[in-house]
Amino acid sequence: MFLDIKGGFDNVDHSTLLRRLQTKNVPNYMVKWISNFISYRQYAIIFPGSPREMRGINTGIPQGSPLSPILFVIYVEPLYDCIDPSREFTSSYIDNIQTTVSSNSWWMNSKLLEEAFTRIKNIATSLGLEFSTHKTDLIHWRAPREKVARSEHPIVVDGECIQPAPKAVKWLGFYFENSHSTWTHYAKRLALAQAAFDRIKRLSSPGGRLTPYSARRMAKAIIIPTLLYGTDFLDPSATMRHKMEVLLNRVKRWITNCFYSTNTNILSAVTNQPSVKVFLTGNDYLTIIGYRHSLRSLLRLSL
């Protein structure tokens, strides 16, 4: 079950946030600084002929500030206190929350999700927050070896019936399928990267306005991140890797203005851009290093 908090930043109560910071043993001078940061703000509703009168506001934290996501995560911390870790797995990013449960039947899974939503909603209401019901998504996971048809069992959230997603659920830019396949995600990434490449090519014909250095920088900044988004967590299939490699080789030929018969290893060396396989291997190593760093930090805290 994927939930979205409605207007999260705009509904943060200042007094509740400051009290929570104090209970977290945040230094008093920092609490005062944050209080000054979120207070004394004004707004005006502007439309043709409006008086544009400024009014004070005592709720909400400014969007666009790097501090606001941290403050919001601290504010919504009670939402996770009601989670039962023995039955539920919950993860979140700012105002997006997902909850996964497991049992021996689809019906029981739906019932557990409805109970979890009721508990989370009650605490959210006490914080002055609501969920966007129309943005709620549902997916019933199944193991890849299971050949049974996908479940159509819905859940009832805030009086609305939420049907399982027909193909995949988009969450934080990732496309999740009920069979754990990554095909939909990378098909979307491949299409976006291809569209970006088609637009960039218009800026310079082969051997035209852009220098190879500038073309490489554009490819590295736009096309490659678009194509490889999600490779830290989702592993593309062999067929999809080949499709991604074909597009990446086309980009390299555009950068170098080489013939189509040019060896791809030479293209990688000249453009200093490795193959998709090397990218994926490098991401695996970086992920392992990140996990080791996190584990060491936790061990230091525990000691």
Side-chain angles (χ1 to χ4, degrees):
M1 177 175 62
F2 300 85
L3 305 172
D4 180 81
I5 298 178
K6 183 178 180 180
F9 284 19
D10 297 333
N11 294 308
V12 172
D13 182 74
H14 293 173
S15 59
T16 303
L17 174 61
L18 295 176
R19 283 197 303 270
R20 185 150 299 124
L21 291 173
Q22 292 172 345
T23 60
K24 295 291 182 182
N25 296 323
V26 176
N28 191 45
Y29 74 90
M30 190 173 294
V31 175
K32 290 182 178 180
W33 186 91
I34 293 174
S35 175
N36 186 269
F37 172 70
I38 63 178
S39 303
Y40 310 110
R41 295 185 175 271
Q42 296 181 321
Y43 75 96
I45 300 177
I46 301 176
F47 56 89
S50 66
R52 303 194 179 187
E53 180 181 352
M54 302 297 294
R55 296 178 179 272
I57 184 171
N58 58 1
T59 59
I61 51 181
Q63 298 195 31
S65 169
L67 180 62
S68 295
I70 301 174
L71 295 178
F72 185 77
V73 170
I74 296 174
Y75 183 75
V76 300
E77 182 187 10
L79 293 179
Y80 309 103
D81 294 338
C82 66
I83 300 299
D84 184 358
S86 63
R87 299 190 306 174
E88 303 160 4
F89 168 73
T90 299
S91 59
S92 65
Y93 182 78
I94 314 299
D95 57 351
N96 295 278
I97 304 173
Q98 76 80 26
T99 298
T100 301
V101 298
S102 177
S103 69
N104 295 326
S105 68
W106 304 118
W107 177 85
M108 180 57 67
N109 284 345
S110 299
K111 182 179 179 181
L112 292 175
L113 287 174
E114 291 174 356
E115 293 177 355
F117 175 80
T118 301
R119 283 185 270 113
I120 295 174
K121 179 192 172 185
N122 291 337
I123 296 181
T125 302
S126 67
L127 297 174
L129 301 175
E130 297 179 357
F131 290 101
S132 298
T133 308
H134 66 282
K135 292 184 179 180
T136 301
D137 290 311
L138 172 67
I139 190 169
H140 289 294
W141 305 109
R142 56 192 176 99
R145 64 179 180 272
E146 294 184 48
K147 302 302 181 182
V148 296
R150 69 182 187 89
S151 172
E152 300 288 348
H153 205 287
I155 62 174
V156 178
V157 172
D158 266 352
E160 293 191 24
C161 185
I162 307 298
Q163 297 289 342
K167 177 66 176 178
V169 169
K170 182 182 179 182
W171 192 62
L172 303 178
F174 297 93
Y175 288 86
F176 297 103
E177 296 185 45
N178 57 8
S179 61
H180 303 277
S181 171
T182 60
W183 182 268
T184 299
H185 174 77
Y186 285 109
K188 296 283 188 180
R189 305 314 307 178
L190 184 63
L192 290 173
Q194 179 65 64
F197 181 44
D198 291 339
R199 290 184 176 90
I200 291 176
K201 284 194 301 183
R202 299 173 189 172
L203 300 176
S204 178
S205 57
R209 284 155 273 177
L210 288 178
T211 63
Y213 174 75
S214 299
R216 177 183 175 277
R217 290 191 65 181
M218 293 193 67
K220 189 175 180 180
I222 301 174
I223 301 173
I224 294 177
T226 302
L227 179 65
L228 300 180
Y229 180 78
T231 52
D232 294 337
F233 307 99
L234 304 177
D235 189 25
S237 63
T239 303
M240 184 55 68
R241 287 189 186 188
H242 175 71
K243 293 178 178 289
M244 296 164 69
E245 196 72 70
V246 169
L247 175 60
L248 195 57
N249 289 335
R250 288 181 56 198
V251 174
K252 295 174 184 177
R253 291 190 176 94
W254 171 72
I255 293 173
T256 58
N257 195 24
C258 290
F259 295 107
Y260 278 94
S261 58
T262 304
N263 187 281
T264 55
N265 292 328
I266 296 176
L267 289 175
S268 297
V270 172
T271 59
N272 195 26
Q273 293 296 318
S275 64
V276 171
K277 180 179 179 180
V278 174
F279 268 119
L280 297 177
T281 304
N283 283 340
D284 290 341
Y285 284 132
L286 291 175
T287 302
I288 293 173
I289 293 173
Y291 286 154
R292 285 181 177 178
H293 179 73
S294 300
L295 181 59
R296 288 175 181 173
S297 300
L298 289 174
L299 289 175
R300 289 172 184 170
L301 291 174
S302 61
L303 296 176

